[in-house]
């Protein structure tokens, strides 16, 4: 039998590992870009269910990263005007784009229940995680 994991199963396992290992990673998921419709689509995730399965480019933290191609660290979500609230328990967020052959195909999105937990170490770590994920494509 073929017991190997498909890509979405691997991404889900990565979400699970990250949320289990790092106390302040309270929601971990992936969004993937559709460049024709200019929308992001929710992929594998671990954490509270979210209504935001489709996000237009430019909208919220995730939508802004789809356009900017840059990491976005939000120490305190209450200070953001272009922000999509998923849960009142979420206090901060980090989004790091996922590049495959130089193209921004999506992003890893992490929500935290504490204020200002994300450092440059998280950014470098999540960039590394995404570089490893890019090898699955
Ligand atoms: N807060 C995000 C929306 C996605 S949820 O965090 C899962 C945003 O502002 O783009």
């Amino acid at each position: 039998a073929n017991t190997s994991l498909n890509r979405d199963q691997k991404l889900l396992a990565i979400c699970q590992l990250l949320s289990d290992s790092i106390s302040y990673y309270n929601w971990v998921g992936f969004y993937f870009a559709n460049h024709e419709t200019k929308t992001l689509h929710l992929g594998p995730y671990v954490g509270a269910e979210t209504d935001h399965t489709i996000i237009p480019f430019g909208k919220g933290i995730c939508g802004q990263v789809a356009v900017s191609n840059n990491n976005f660290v939000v120490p305190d979500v209450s200070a953001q005007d272009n922000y999509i609230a998923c849960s009142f328990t979420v206090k901060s967020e980090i989004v790091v784009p996922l590049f495959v052959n130089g193209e921004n195909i999506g992003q890893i999105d992490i929500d935290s229940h504490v204020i200002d937990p994300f450092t440059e170490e998280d950014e470098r770590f999540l960039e590394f995680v995404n570089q490893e994920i890019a090898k699955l494509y």
Side-chain angles (χ1 to χ4, degrees):
N2 180 1
T3 55
S4 68
L5 299 181
N6 68 33
R7 189 166 59 210
D8 271 5
Q9 290 170 323
K10 289 175 185 170
L11 292 176
L12 182 61
I14 289 165
C15 292
Q16 195 70 65
L17 181 64
L18 291 174
S19 79
D20 286 348
S21 307
I22 302 173
S23 61
Y24 53 92
Y25 287 11
N26 301 120
W27 187 99
V28 181
F30 292 91
Y31 282 94
F32 290 97
N34 181 321
H35 291 281
E36 278 70 55
T37 55
K38 299 201 181 304
T39 49
L40 289 166
H41 297 259
L42 182 62
Y45 71 95
V46 164
E49 215 178 297
T50 174
D51 290 337
H52 304 107
T53 55
I54 302 178
I55 298 175
F57 282 14
K59 206 167 169 271
I61 308 305
C62 296
Q64 292 177 78
V65 169
V67 175
S68 74
N69 305 320
N70 291 317
N71 297 349
F72 201 152
V73 178
V74 180
D76 178 356
V77 296
S78 73
Q80 291 291 318
D81 45 7
N82 189 359
Y83 169 73
I84 304 166
C86 283
S87 156
F88 290 113
T89 60
V90 174
K91 303 290 187 225
S92 57
E93 179 164 3
I94 183 170
V95 178
V96 174
L98 169 58
F99 297 102
V100 174
N101 299 321
E103 186 187 13
N104 179 354
I105 68 150
Q107 52 197 235
I108 189 166
D109 176 21
I110 298 176
D111 289 338
S112 181
H113 296 167
V114 297
I115 289 205
D116 198 12
F118 301 114
T119 66
E120 285 184 19
E121 200 183 340
D122 293 284
E123 290 191 70
R124 301 293 91 75
F125 171 61
L126 295 169
E127 287 165 359
F128 168 77
V129 168
N130 279 355
Q131 282 163 17
E132 292 300 306
I133 290 168
K135 296 175 185 172
L136 303 174
Y137 285 80

